[in-house]
Amino acid sequence: MLRKSAAVLLGILVGVFAMQVRAEEPLRIVLGFPAGASSDTVTRLIADKMRDSLGRPVVVENKPGAGGIVANMAVKSAPPDGNTLLLTPLATMVAYPFSYSKLAYDPFKDYVPVAHIAAFQLALGVGPNVPAKTLAEYVALVKKGGEYANFASAAVGSLPHFFGILFARTAGVQMTHVPYKGTANVLQALLSGEVPAGIVPISDIGTLAQSGKARVLASSGATRSPQYPDVPTFKESGYDIEGAAWYALFAPAGTPSDVVDRLSAAAIKAIQDPDVRKKIEPLGLEATGLGPAELAAIMKADHDKWGPVIQASGFKAD
């Protein structure tokens, strides 16, 4: 009897210890892009706030590669236990299924929407050595050919890449895409003169423009960015195109709904924190904070909007 009681007590103690260890297991937020871009900034700000509200460690794990695909695959294969989240821009969930003929994940089947974090506009910017001060002047340079016809984006098959193709066709010019691994690398290439132009989130190039190290010629929104009111939209510049993107959190498929709801609430609370908003909105990011159902609806709408356009372009990343 004593042995049985001791065994029961030992089992209880082991269970309690296991629960404590599990409670202290960090929540990983996996990001498919390197440090230095707005995606990394917003991820780390959210992680800090979620750490407080959840009462557990929250770590950011940068897993750059293949334009974010490496991170998507890592989260797809992670246990659906609430310990792993993916923070990703629209591109990996909306554009890639159309721009890659062989994609090893399904955005709608392999992930669960958690929270829509922020929205942002894209922008066409040029480096300090490019003489164009307006979009019309830049198009005139592109028409001459040579190096001015090159433009960079953070990844092959991303929304900025596709937006560049769309702009070139609308402007009636030939442009060559130069892919980089992450927005931070695009900005470095612009500063060094390695490429003359790039299409990136306005939140990333805006800070360079404010310091005089680059110029933003046009933004992709339906209206001008509140943070950069002097930058005209593509439509205002005579090119009838627009497109906004977003950052959002996803969990592996199969994650229990109560766990998703808890993580969603913590993420929404984090992004709506006045301190976080104060830090990201000057960068050109609009803090949103929408739940799983709203994120799912936005994702479906963007899938239906961009899919036919990407397919019509004939572009394939592989």
Side-chain angles (χ1 to χ4, degrees):
M1 180 67 74
L2 288 175
R3 288 179 180 176
K4 183 178 292 187
S5 298
V8 171
L9 179 59
L10 179 61
I12 292 173
L13 291 174
V14 169
V16 170
F17 177 74
M19 290 175 64
Q20 289 176 335
V21 170
R22 185 174 182 78
E24 295 174 358
E25 186 173 347
L27 167 64
R28 292 189 309 142
I29 303 181
V30 182
L31 175 67
F33 301 91
S38 62
S39 57
D40 183 72
T41 300
V42 73
T43 303
R44 293 183 185 280
L45 288 170
I46 289 171
D48 286 343
K49 297 298 181 180
M50 291 180 70
R51 185 180 299 120
D52 294 337
S53 61
L54 292 172
R56 62 182 294 197
V58 181
V59 298
V60 176
E61 186 174 322
N62 296 87
K63 278 188 157 313
I69 292 176
V70 170
N72 278 54
M73 292 301 297
V75 174
K76 172 190 172 181
S77 61
D81 55 8
N83 290 326
T84 306
L85 291 176
L86 170 72
L87 193 142
T88 182
L90 169 153
T92 67
M93 295 304 206
V94 173
Y96 287 5
F98 298 100
S99 57
Y100 284 83
S101 56
K102 295 180 180 179
L103 196 63
Y105 64 85
D106 185 315
F108 293 94
K109 295 180 180 179
D110 294 326
Y111 308 92
V112 178
V114 175
H116 188 286
I117 297 301
F120 60 93
Q121 295 188 28
L122 303 177
L124 189 152
V126 295
N129 297 324
V130 178
K133 291 182 171 58
T134 66
L135 195 57
E137 291 178 357
Y138 171 70
V139 170
L141 289 175
V142 173
K143 287 181 177 179
K144 293 180 180 180
E147 64 177 11
Y148 289 124
N150 297 331
F151 80 96
S153 82
V156 172
S158 64
L159 191 63
H161 173 198
F162 171 71
F163 198 87
I165 294 175
L166 182 61
F167 167 65
R169 293 188 177 187
T170 304
V173 295
Q174 293 291 326
M175 296 177 66
T176 301
H177 177 239
V178 183
Y180 283 81
K181 293 182 178 179
T183 301
N185 292 331
V186 174
L187 300 182
Q188 286 297 324
L190 286 175
L191 284 174
S192 67
E194 191 173 295
V195 289
I199 295 182
V200 295
I202 195 171
S203 53
D204 290 321
I205 196 169
T207 51
L208 284 183
Q210 289 173 336
S211 64
K213 296 178 180 179
R215 285 189 298 280
V216 185
L217 302 185
S219 62
S220 68
T223 59
R224 296 191 181 196
S225 168
Q227 288 74 30
Y228 304 99
D230 294 333
V231 177
T233 66
F234 281 89
K235 282 192 171 184
E236 287 178 312
S237 302
Y239 304 95
D240 192 16
I241 55 174
E242 66 176 76
W246 40 258
Y247 293 128
L249 285 168
F250 296 85
T255 302
S257 59
D258 61 324
V259 174
V260 170
D261 290 342
R262 184 163 62 251
L263 294 173
S264 178
I268 291 171
K269 181 180 179 182
I271 196 63
Q272 292 181 343
D273 184 280
D275 181 55
V276 173
R277 296 175 72 101
K278 185 188 300 182
K279 290 176 179 176
I280 70 167
E281 288 180 349
L283 301 177
L285 292 172
E286 176 193 351
T288 52
L290 306 174
E294 292 163 301
L295 172 55
I298 291 170
M299 186 174 160
K300 178 63 166 58
D302 280 337
H303 179 274
D304 294 344
K305 171 185 176 180
W306 287 107
V309 182
I310 296 173
Q311 288 175 322
S313 75
F315 171 77
K316 285 296 179 183
D318 49 10

